[in-house]
Each structure stands twice: as C-alpha cells, then as structure tokens.
Amino acid sequence: EVQLEESGGGLVQPGRSLRVSCAASGFTFNDYAMHWVRQAPGKGLEWVSRISWNSGLILYADSVKGRFTISRDNAKNSLYLQMNSLRPEDTAFYYCTKDRSAAGLYYFDSWGQGTLVTVSS
Amino acid sequence: DIQMTQSPSSLSASVGDRVTITCRASQSIGTYLNWYHQKPGKAPKLLIYAVSSLQSGVPSRFSGSGSGTDFTLTISSLQPEDFVVYYCQQSYSTPPTFGQGTKLDIK
C-alpha cells in the first residue's frame, strides 16, 4: 500500500524559512515523479511544484518560483520542499503527491495526509 | 494558465439519486482531465483520470465523459459516503489547475 507521510509544518513568521518533508513507502519511489500541492484552509487546490524521478525536470508555480525549492533523496525515499521568504498567503496544508509516471503527467494518484504551514507574525 | 470552472458550486441531492457535475476548461485540453473527491479533514483522492478511466478501487457508480473543453462526472446512485467535495483538474499543461470544487450535500 502506498503511504506518504508529510512532516515539518508549523507556525513561522513572514520572511522566514521552513522545510517540509515527505516519507514515502509501499512503492518504488525512484520510479515516479512527485509533486507538492497545497490548499489554504477552506479553499481550493493549488499545484506548487513537480520533480521527475531523477530530479532532471523540476517545475514550479509562478507564485512560489524563486522562493521554494523541491528536492528528493531516492536513497531515503523522501521528498522535500524548502520554503524561503514565506508570506502569509503561503499559509496552507501542503500535500505530498505521487504521479502516475516517472516524468510527471500530473495525475496525482496518491496523497499524504498533509502538513499545515501557517505564516503569521 | 488554463482556467477550470465547475458547475454547480454546490448541489443538494438524496441517497440513490443520479447526479452530474460539469467542468469546463478555458481552452481545449483534449482528454487530459481528472476528477478527485475530498472528504472533510482528509486529503483529496483520485477518482477518474483521462476523462473516463476509473482509478483502482473506485466504485463503478462513478463515470466520466467529455473532451476538448467540456466534461462531466456522473454518480449513478448516490451513497452516503459520496456527499463530499469534488474537484476537476487538467493535466494538459503546466501548471496543472483545478476547478473551484463542487460541494455535494444531502437534501
């Protein structure tokens, strides 16, 4: 069974940094692209970033480009999102999601439970 | 970015009803359309991908159709666990974008 478990969320002041992580199990992690998708409390879904199986293709939403960095460690079956220069509008649940393909076709077939990042002074 | 618009935003129905949710893309996306549902306090779950392919484990009362810009999700006979929020999502281009959601509640 595919399992994705996020961690690292919390309360952070505007302008500060935070790194969230995702531990994957139940599938061959390095066979699939991975994504971060976020959801502000009570709001809709927003794709944040994508990383291919070998980290060769990385893409970001315009709203986070230049501030967020996605990475993965296939040896540790882990996905990361380094978030710098955080803004109040970054407040959201951050979901780690698995793609159906290695390169990334944007079919999010498995999701973690989410980790809440709150940006506030 | 491709805009995805769902209608209605909310829908009241009864157990056993047949319901349809519509999703419209701001430009043609071929058959790159997926549907998710989300239970309160939980992560979204993939129901249907590529317009009409059921994700493993999803009941056959769910079905999808459409192409180009107009798509539908149909639930043939509503069960109590189906009264949640539904999202469509285009996987045609970067960034992938979601509809605003349709909340299905019990009449």
Side-chain angles (χ1 to χ4, degrees):
Chain A
E1 179 190 2
V2 172
Q3 291 196 358
L4 300 170
E5 184 170 357
E6 301 92 341
S7 61
L11 175 63
V12 61
Q13 293 179 328
R16 305 296 292 265
S17 299
L18 194 68
R19 188 176 87 153
V20 293
S21 303
C22 171
S25 61
F27 64 104
T28 305
F29 183 69
N30 58 13
D31 276 353
Y32 295 94
M34 299 292 293
H35 305 260
W36 289 99
V37 175
R38 69 184 181 183
Q39 184 174 37
K43 301 299 183 181
L45 298 163
E46 180 187 17
W47 173 82
V48 173
S49 183
R50 148 188 170 180
I51 186 167
S52 62
W53 67 280
N54 64 351
S55 304
L57 178 60
I58 290 175
L59 294 169
Y60 298 97
D62 285 346
S63 58
V64 307
K65 198 174 298 181
R67 300 187 299 122
F68 289 11
T69 301
I70 191 172
S71 62
R72 64 190 296 163
D73 184 335
N74 287 343
K76 295 183 177 179
N77 289 347
S78 292
L79 176 72
Y80 307 100
L81 186 68
Q82 175 68 41
M83 300 181 288
N84 297 334
S85 302
L86 281 161
R87 304 166 180 169
E89 55 264 36
D90 295 319
T91 295
F93 289 93
Y94 284 75
Y95 294 103
C96 165
T97 72
K98 171 186 165 293
D99 201 286
R100 284 177 54 87
S101 75
L105 295 178
Y106 299 128
Y107 299 102
F108 311 119
D109 67 358
S110 297
W111 298 60
Q113 84 287 350
T115 188
L116 178 60
V117 173
T118 303
V119 184
S120 175
S121 54
Chain B
D1 297 1
I2 297 175
Q3 305 303 313
M4 306 299 293
T5 303
Q6 291 179 229
S7 60
S9 295
S10 63
L11 176 61
S12 295
S14 302
V15 173
D17 284 354
R18 177 186 177 92
V19 297
T20 296
I21 297 170
T22 296
C23 179
R24 175 164 289 177
S26 61
Q27 67 182 73
S28 178
I29 59 171
T31 57
Y32 292 90
L33 192 282
N34 312 309
W35 290 97
Y36 302 81
H37 72 178
Q38 185 176 29
K39 299 179 180 180
K42 301 293 187 182
K45 176 184 174 183
L46 180 63
L47 292 173
I48 290 174
Y49 62 95
V51 175
S52 58
S53 296
L54 247 57
Q55 176 68 355
S56 175
V58 173
S60 59
R61 63 180 180 273
F62 291 92
S63 64
S65 64
S67 66
T69 60
D70 294 309
F71 303 89
T72 59
L73 171 70
T74 299
I75 310 171
S76 60
S77 178
L78 282 169
Q79 299 301 300
E81 61 269 28
D82 298 336
F83 292 92
V84 296
V85 179
Y86 293 84
Y87 293 97
C88 62
Q89 175 243 330
Q90 64 82 14
S91 50
Y92 178 79
S93 66
T94 304
T97 46
F98 295 85
Q100 80 280 13
T102 294
K103 184 177 181 182
L104 182 53
D105 55 31
I106 297 177
K107 186 182 293 182

